[in-house]
Amino acid sequence: MAILKILQYPDERLHIVATPVERITDRIRVLVENMAETMYAAPGIGLAATQVDVHERIIVIDTSETHDQLLVLINPEIIARSGVSDYEEGCLSVPGIYGKVQRAESVTVSALNVDGESYTLDADGLLAVCIQHEMDHLAGKVFIEYWSKLKQSRTLAKLKKKQRSVM
Ligand code: K1U
Ligand code: ZN
């Protein structure tokens, strides 16, 4: 297994739209294992393939307190959404920045697991927020891009200052 490099905002590759996985091969299975290891090591509760510069529709998530409930979503699609939630989010590609985004409170998502079996999941709370956040990554969208242009430019300035101080 391996820890993968996570792209950091404003890397343009975070805006690439991911394409569907056509066949679940050994390459995909190894990628899923490495994404899970990268997410747990970060630590985070989710990771989209886009964030590790692979532009295919793959997400890993584990919102459990015990870190032993890995969810793998290949070619995920949201098939139903309801309610509104305003949750404080973070992102491994935008370290140190947290803020609210308005999203659906509950979602139903269909996806393939790593064995290529199709399943449907009803999610609410943090899991629903995380699924929507990761699916945005697959669509090339980063959570801060929901904010006003002013708040985005202040965030970018803060990130650049932080990046300069570690160089
Ligand atoms: O997509 C990502 O970068 C992962 C992101 C997922 C997420 C968090 C919160 C709301 C929506 C989506 C993270 O995992 S940020 C880190 C984080 O939330 C966390 C880290 C350690 C322990 C618990 C949470
Ligand atoms: Zn993120």
Side-chain angles (χ1 to χ4, degrees):
M1 293 214 287
I3 306 277
L4 307 171
K5 187 171 174 290
I6 298 176
L7 298 178
Q8 300 295 297
Y9 191 85
D11 194 310
E12 271 307 312
R13 291 170 289 182
L14 287 168
H15 293 129
I16 299 174
V17 178
T19 57
V21 172
E22 291 196 349
R23 222 160 51 86
I24 299 176
T25 58
D26 284 349
R27 177 183 69 83
I28 299 292
R29 282 185 277 272
V30 169
L31 172 63
V32 166
E33 277 189 18
N34 290 339
M35 284 175 61
E37 190 178 14
T38 303
M39 173 189 74
Y40 286 122
I45 56 170
L47 191 70
T50 307
Q51 293 176 277
V52 294
D53 202 18
V54 176
H55 302 284
E56 291 171 89
R57 294 182 61 80
I58 305 169
I59 290 169
V60 293
I61 292 179
D62 189 345
T63 55
S64 72
E65 285 184 5
T66 43
H67 313 298
D68 59 356
Q69 309 278 311
L70 181 68
L71 267 175
V72 177
L73 298 99
I74 298 172
N75 297 342
E77 298 293 343
I78 292 180
I79 55 178
R81 55 184 92 222
S82 62
V84 180
S85 94
D86 207 4
Y87 208 93
E88 179 99 352
E89 301 190 13
C91 182
L92 299 173
S93 294
V94 196
I97 304 293
Y98 302 90
K100 289 191 174 173
V101 175
Q102 206 171 78
R103 299 190 185 274
E105 188 177 36
S106 310
V107 295
T108 302
V109 62
S110 72
L112 301 178
N113 66 19
V114 80
D115 297 316
E117 297 158 344
S118 168
Y119 69 99
T120 301
L121 174 73
D122 292 317
D124 56 16
L126 179 59
L127 179 57
V129 170
C130 193
I131 288 170
Q132 293 171 82
H133 175 115
E134 302 310 334
M135 288 192 64
D136 273 351
H137 276 304
L138 299 182
K141 185 159 182 167
V142 178
F143 81 117
I144 66 168
E145 292 163 354
Y146 284 96
W147 299 348
S148 69
K149 288 284 172 216
L150 177 65
K151 194 166 169 192
Q152 283 184 52
S153 61
R154 284 183 177 155
T155 301
L156 192 56
K158 199 169 159 184
L159 282 169
K160 291 212 161 137
K161 192 172 171 197
K162 223 172 91 179
Q163 283 163 5
R164 274 198 306 273
S165 74
V166 294
M167 282 173 82

